[in-house]
Amino acid sequence: MRKYLKLLCTILVSVLILSCFSSCTKKQNTELTKVRLNEVVRSVFYAPMYVAINKGFFKEEGLEIELSTGQGADKTMQQVLSKNADIGFCGPEQVIYLYNQGRDDYAVLFAQLTQRDGSFLVSRKDEKDFKWESLRGKTIIGGRPGGVPEMSLEYVLRNHGLTIGKDVNIITNLAFTATAGAFKSGTGDYVALFEPTASMLVNEKAGYIVASVGKASGEMPYTCFFSTKSYMENNPDIIQKFTNAIYKGQLYVQSHSSKEIAKDIVSFFPGSDTELLAVVVENYKSIDALAKDPILKEESLSRLMDIIQSYDANLIPTRPPYEKIVTTKFANEAIKNIKK
């Protein structure tokens, strides 16, 4: 009897050990790698990224995203350079400026999320047949001097034969958060606004969206993901998994309705109305502002540099070689391995 009890105890102990080992192994296999991501601002414009987080696409790739907001492209770049963030998300112009500073461990772009300027021109009256040329003699509330939204707006105006300060007046001395209020109080004939502010003015019957700056300025890499060259060289697997998740988010946004997407991202915008969010997403979809894949094309980057140099050639005295500041290998690999 004692022999049987001893044998039974041995079997039970073995089962417990194996069970514990299996449980520990499973836990190790499901541990996620933390990635510190700093976004330039919080915006519905970045819906595919928020979808990728909330739908678990990063977790599927074994990553846990620690998201912070820089509140400015220069601040996002500084977070990455100071190693307080692993990956940055903002306009690629910051990467261009940094490369021209001659830094050894410069930043490299590896995935694109948006492909047009996201601002809309809002008028005081409904203009079904709006033409940019009709702005002659008018006053527009624009953006911050030196910011890409303002550069894009002025690029469009010049392309339609309008000279800034002569044919059309642009107000650029207002804070970003004050432009809509200034327009509502009677300043200017038009205002260039990002969403959801533009649609909020429409809902309040305080204005009408008459044109898209992004549609008129053309395709360009408006917001992209980047890391330092050293981080990318040391963590290629993380960059690949990150890009895979972003591409999954892009595919999801393409295949789902704006209402579905609004529900998927509303947690990033506490207190927001999902109906308004759906309108905003639809507006961005309608102008093809959301990139369908993460590949950053050379001709698109070249257009961005055209826009910047036409505004102020001193901002980019030398154009960095595309292959130095952009890699498409991670985006190409994501497209290759992830089925639509």
Side-chain angles (χ1 to χ4, degrees):
M1 189 60 153
R2 273 183 287 192
K3 286 182 180 180
Y4 285 120
L5 287 173
K6 187 176 180 181
L7 178 62
L8 182 59
C9 287
T10 302
I11 292 171
L12 288 172
V13 170
S14 298
V15 169
L16 286 171
I17 291 173
L18 287 171
S19 176
C20 181
F21 177 78
S22 176
S23 177
C24 290
T25 301
K26 186 176 181 181
K27 183 179 179 181
Q28 288 175 354
N29 289 337
T30 56
E31 282 184 355
L32 302 176
T33 301
K34 182 178 289 186
V35 176
R36 298 169 301 166
L37 170 63
N38 187 277
E39 61 176 357
V40 55
V41 292
R42 181 62 48 85
S43 174
V44 183
F45 200 20
Y46 312 142
M49 178 175 71
Y50 305 135
V51 163
I53 294 172
N54 274 356
K55 299 302 290 186
F57 298 149
F58 284 104
K59 287 184 178 179
E60 288 177 3
E61 296 293 332
L63 302 180
E64 177 188 351
I65 298 299
E66 182 180 283
L67 184 63
S68 59
T69 307
Q71 299 297 350
D74 55 336
K75 295 179 178 63
T76 290
M77 176 59 77
Q78 189 53 47
Q79 287 296 304
V80 173
L81 295 181
S82 63
K83 301 188 186 305
N84 289 317
D86 304 312
I87 293 174
F89 174 67
C90 67
E93 68 277 1
Q94 290 298 316
V95 173
I96 296 169
Y97 301 156
L98 181 70
Y99 182 86
N100 279 340
Q101 292 174 13
R103 184 185 177 98
D104 290 333
D105 191 17
Y106 55 87
V108 178
L109 301 154
F110 65 86
Q112 176 178 328
L113 195 76
T114 60
Q115 60 184 14
R116 291 184 188 275
D117 183 286
S119 54
F120 294 87
L121 191 69
V122 177
S123 171
R124 294 195 179 280
K125 56 184 179 179
D126 195 6
E127 300 178 54
K128 300 295 185 184
D129 299 315
F130 171 83
K131 291 180 175 57
W132 289 95
E133 289 80 5
S134 65
L135 293 175
R136 192 177 300 274
K138 304 297 185 180
T139 296
I140 306 169
I141 299 176
R144 175 181 62 83
V148 174
E150 178 61 23
M151 294 184 194
S152 298
L153 174 62
E154 294 192 18
Y155 177 77
V156 171
L157 295 174
R158 283 193 296 272
N159 282 351
H160 286 83
L162 300 172
T163 301
I164 314 300
K166 179 183 176 183
D167 300 318
V168 60
N169 182 44
I170 303 183
I171 299 172
T172 59
N173 61 351
L174 297 175
F176 176 76
T177 54
T179 55
F183 181 76
K184 286 176 67 175
S185 66
T187 302
D189 303 297
Y190 298 84
V191 60
L193 294 170
F194 273 79
E195 292 283 27
T197 312
S199 290
M200 288 171 67
L201 284 186
V202 173
N203 286 350
E204 295 168 8
K205 301 191 183 306
Y208 300 85
I209 294 175
V210 294
S212 158
V213 175
K215 190 173 182 179
S217 60
E219 189 175 314
M220 60 175 164
Y222 203 74
T223 39
C224 303
F225 298 96
F226 65 90
S227 74
T228 58
K229 187 158 61 85
S230 62
Y231 182 86
M232 190 174 294
E233 289 170 351
N234 294 329
N235 302 279
D237 289 346
I238 291 177
I239 297 294
Q240 186 61 67
K241 291 174 181 178
F242 186 97
T243 308
N244 293 347
I246 289 298
Y247 183 44
K248 290 177 183 178
Q250 291 174 320
L251 292 176
Y252 183 95
V253 167
Q254 290 175 53
S255 61
H256 289 74
S257 70
S258 297
K259 288 184 178 180
E260 290 173 304
I261 295 164
K263 291 177 182 178
D264 291 327
I265 68 173
V266 69
S267 63
F268 285 93
F269 306 93
S272 296
D273 178 19
T274 54
E275 289 187 9
L276 177 61
L277 292 181
V279 169
V280 172
V281 172
E282 189 59 35
N283 283 345
Y284 284 133
K285 279 189 167 189
S286 69
I287 63 168
D288 198 26
L290 308 177
K292 294 178 175 58
D293 61 57
I295 296 177
L296 198 168
K297 301 180 183 70
E298 185 172 3
E299 57 268 29
S300 296
L301 187 63
S302 181
R303 178 176 285 112
L304 173 63
M305 289 192 275
D306 287 343
I307 290 171
I308 294 173
Q309 288 185 317
S310 69
Y311 178 84
D312 184 352
N314 294 321
L315 290 172
I316 307 179
T318 303
R319 293 196 177 201
Y322 171 79
E323 62 276 6
K324 286 285 187 179
I325 61 170
V326 176
T327 178
T328 59
K329 66 177 183 179
F330 300 105
N332 282 322
E333 191 65 23
I335 293 170
K336 177 183 174 183
N337 294 329
I338 298 170
K339 296 180 180 179
K340 292 186 178 182

